[in-house]
Amino acid sequence: MKKLRERFPEDGIVAEETADQSDATRFERCWYVDPLDGTKEFIAKNGEFSVMVGLAIGGEAKLGVVFQPVRDKLYRGVVGHGATLHERGEWRALEVSEEANPAKLALVASRSHRPADLDELIRRLGITKEAASGSVGLKIGIIAERQADLYVHASDRSSKWDACAPEAILRAAGGRFTDVGGAPFRYDEADIKNRRGILACNATAYEKVFPVIHALATERGFLPK
């Protein structure tokens, strides 16, 4: 945060550890910082945690960086300008898969917060491939690397600093990132909670999986009827 304020003194900053999060509504440009995403994974020492920094301009995610220290992997994306991964000293471009058949999608789920309704969603979509990972940013990175296609978090337990950087990276890689009701995220609101969860998917399959996810979330009472 100190470095961001030095480099961008006219920007706002909202971080998980800051008590005052009013910058979200007071600045046209606002940085969202999560210094440790995947706390349980950090404690378990499995390496599946990350540092996430995102920039929202005019309330929309525009730039994101997710760094996995243990594996020295750096994901970055600028909406409209592409996404890249730096690993083993090299940069390579990232682009989500074009798989359209829901039954052939690979789902990435939370390792430590697996939703109770996920098995029912898998059944309805016919999914047979599932991976697990900590950190929202790393899950999105897996989708951007084409190792998975879909991530669903039907819970209000995440916040805007969990979403801004991952959204920018996924959209820069050609994916879709909305809440489970299909609405885009806004980063210029006083409420920094993601009240309607997260739905991340490759763009080709999004329109096919969204109705199924929306219907299940409504049935289970997460979304209003």
Side-chain angles (χ1 to χ4, degrees), residues 62-66 75-84 165 168-170 172-173:
K62 295 295 186 181
L63 175 150
V65 175
V66 172
Y75 300 93
R76 69 178 184 184
V78 179
V79 177
H81 296 277
T84 52
I169 291 169
L170 187 62

Side-chain angles (χ1 to χ4, degrees), residues 49-64:
F49 62 92
S50 69
V51 181
M52 307 198 300
V53 181
L55 174 64
I57 303 176
E60 297 182 4
K62 295 295 186 181
L63 175 150

Side-chain angles (χ1 to χ4, degrees), residues 74-118:
L74 179 68
Y75 300 93
R76 69 178 184 184
V78 179
V79 177
H81 296 277
T84 52
L85 168 64
H86 187 265
E87 184 178 22
R88 298 188 183 94
E90 297 182 355
W91 287 101
R92 64 182 176 91
L94 297 175
E95 188 172 356
V96 298
S97 80
E98 297 178 351
E99 181 57 64
N101 185 346
K104 293 184 178 180
L105 299 179
L107 173 78
V108 58
S110 174
R111 187 176 299 283
S112 57
H113 304 283
R114 195 176 192 278
D117 295 328
L118 194 61

